[in-house]
Amino acid sequence: MKTIIQTVDRKNLISKDFEKAAELLRQGQLVAFPTETVYGLGGNALDETAARRIYEAKGRPSDNPLIVHIADMNALDELAVEIPKEGYQLADAFWPGPLTMIFKKSEVVPYSTTGGLDTVAIRMPSDPIAAMLIQESGLFLAAPSANSSGRPSTTKAEHVIEDLSGKISMIIDGGAVDIGLESTIVDLSGEKPMILRPGFITKEQLSDVIGDVEYDRAVLKREKNENVVAKAPGMKYKHYAPKGELTIYEGDMSNVITRINQESKVKADLGESIGILATDETKHCYQYGIVKSIGSRSDEKAIASHLFDILREFDTLGISYIYSESFGDNNLGQAIMNRLLKAAGYHIITV
Ligand code: TXA
Ligand code: MG
């Protein structure tokens, strides 16, 4: 399949930009598009064939449900039933934006979209390209992150081309995304609101609106063998993994630097290729390998938005061993460490 790459100018969006994409989506084809979090791989959420094509293109297990993207509040009432008041309160506070909510599904949502579950994940993205694509197509768009299953999510059209070119009908290139980590997921279908995936919208922000919210135990997992079953089916799979072996070091920063220099020397002496995931404050301290700064430690937003890009860059460079510093878990740090730990297969060493 030839993949059409359509570039749009986000400062000057016109409905003509979306004509072809909307037509393809209405035919059940797949179109990747930017959102404020990561690129999504979109298909008609109510069309079983489109959902199947999404799983196929990503190589994703079909029990891993998709998020349905909407552009207005009427859609929420169409797709979900028994919506608790917290759902409307959170929508009011954070939609459009990087928050996904899980509700009991209505009959119109096929099980192929929800991975066989009776619940549905719904998000109203704020990126104007995503919003316009949904509107122009007249559909609800099922859209997982637009990466091959298991690889880091995509934050630039180039990443999507790398993973999905030849497998989908179109990629809309709207440049680099804003946030760079996937949306916060809150499950409102059970007794208590539960965070299934941390993201840009923090636990504190959610609590400010609806009171008590808890993390699903799988979110706080720090060790590979910790036996917790993730409530978001996708969170149990191998995720975000670069091709190289990634190890995270945490502890006093000078110890971390010393240890990374020791470990990377051993590998360098063996002729292995090494990548160091450092920060602006520490990038001068490393002696071996290719050192990349993810940003300043004081700028969580920069760290979040560069994480997947850096992991992919190490892949492009053919790096075999990646050593990473660790980050605090305040605010966005919770989401950053969640993704980094998964990318490392929970391989974290305290020094
Ligand atoms: O920011 C985002 O959310 C991006 C952009 C494209 O919107 N999308 C995204 O989708 O990250 P995906 O498919 O890569 O991740 C969705 C996660 C998976 O872990 C999946 O298991 C979980 O949401 N999920 C979806 N529906 C669910 C449901 N009904 N119950 C529990 N978890 C669900
Ligand atoms: Mg994903």
Side-chain angles (χ1 to χ4, degrees):
M1 178 185 304
K2 173 143 176 46
T3 304
I4 303 166
I5 314 288
Q6 168 129 16
T7 306
V8 296
D9 173 9
R10 60 168 61 248
K11 285 190 219 81
N12 183 25
L13 295 176
I14 45 171
S15 70
K16 201 167 174 321
D17 290 338
F18 298 92
E19 251 171 36
K20 181 72 188 163
E23 187 190 319
L24 288 165
L25 288 165
R26 283 191 297 265
Q27 289 165 356
Q29 300 299 326
L30 307 185
V31 174
F33 60 95
T35 81
E36 70 277 24
T37 57
V38 296
Y39 271 74
L41 173 56
N44 180 356
L46 305 189
D47 175 351
E48 308 212 7
T49 315
R52 229 179 6 252
R53 286 189 174 128
I54 291 177
Y55 289 108
E56 231 172 73
K58 278 185 63 107
R60 172 173 176 144
S62 62
D63 69 343
N64 188 358
L66 308 172
I67 295 174
V68 181
H69 294 67
I70 62 174
D72 63 71
M73 281 302 283
N74 293 335
L76 176 61
D77 295 308
E78 209 172 314
L79 298 167
V81 294
E82 297 173 37
I83 300 169
K85 68 173 188 312
E86 287 83 359
Y88 293 106
Q89 290 167 337
L90 290 176
D92 218 34
F94 301 113
W95 276 2
L99 177 70
T100 296
M101 290 189 271
I102 294 176
F103 303 104
K104 296 211 170 74
K105 79 172 194 69
S106 76
E107 279 183 2
V108 301
V109 185
Y111 282 110
S112 48
T113 295
T114 67
L117 298 177
D118 288 317
T119 52
V120 60
I122 305 180
R123 171 162 116 78
M124 189 190 290
S126 62
D127 184 308
I129 297 177
M132 250 177 116
L133 180 64
I134 300 167
Q135 266 152 7
E136 295 291 326
S137 69
L139 304 168
F140 309 127
L141 296 184
S145 50
N147 51 281
S148 296
S149 191
R151 293 209 69 205
S153 300
T154 49
T155 58
K156 296 173 173 172
E158 293 75 22
H159 300 160
V160 186
I161 293 170
E162 226 169 73
D163 281 19
L164 298 174
S165 186
K167 297 180 178 165
I168 62 176
S169 295
M170 183 185 272
I171 297 169
I172 299 179
D173 183 350
V177 301
D178 181 29
I179 295 172
L181 297 179
E182 307 87 340
S183 61
T184 306
I185 302 181
V186 188
D187 186 354
L188 294 175
S189 70
E191 301 269 285
K192 282 198 276 218
M194 299 288 277
I195 298 172
L196 306 191
R197 181 173 71 184
F200 188 78
I201 309 283
T202 62
K203 182 170 184 278
E204 290 65 34
Q205 285 176 290
L206 297 170
S207 296
D208 283 346
V209 178
I210 57 166
D212 244 11
V213 189
E214 280 177 33
Y215 284 119
D216 182 56
R217 279 188 58 212
V219 171
L220 302 173
K221 173 171 159 165
R222 296 276 291 185
E223 281 166 39
K224 194 175 182 139
N225 297 327
E226 224 174 295
N227 196 10
V228 281
V229 179
K231 266 205 88 191
M235 302 309 266
K236 72 174 182 268
Y237 292 110
K238 185 172 176 213
H239 245 96
Y240 315 121
K243 292 173 189 152
E245 186 185 296
L246 168 60
T247 310
I248 308 164
Y249 291 87
E250 69 173 355
D252 179 74
M253 192 44 77
S254 63
N255 291 346
V256 167
I257 292 166
T258 306
R259 185 67 181 273
I260 289 180
N261 276 326
Q262 282 166 356
E263 298 290 337
S264 52
K265 177 177 189 328
V266 174
K267 291 288 190 268
D269 287 348
L270 293 168
E272 299 284 3
S273 53
I274 293 147
I276 313 280
L277 194 155
T279 48
D280 287 356
E281 290 80 2
T282 58
K283 64 185 177 196
H284 308 294
C285 306
Y286 296 102
Q287 290 150 3
Y288 305 92
I290 294 171
V291 182
K292 290 198 177 285
S293 172
I294 194 167
S296 166
R297 284 196 163 267
S298 60
D299 187 354
E300 279 190 321
K301 255 208 103 196
I303 296 173
S305 71
H306 295 143
L307 178 61
F308 291 138
D309 191 34
I310 290 201
L311 293 178
R312 280 180 175 265
E313 275 186 45
F314 284 138
D315 280 356
T316 307
L317 293 165
I319 299 293
S320 306
Y321 294 91
I322 305 167
Y323 301 101
S324 176
E325 295 173 10
S326 163
F327 302 94
D329 56 12
N330 287 330
N331 304 318
L332 248 186
Q334 190 61 249
I336 294 166
M337 281 310 288
N338 173 270
R339 307 310 191 275
L340 189 59
L341 277 161
K342 278 170 182 288
Y346 298 95
H347 197 203
I348 182 163
I349 293 173
T350 307
V351 293

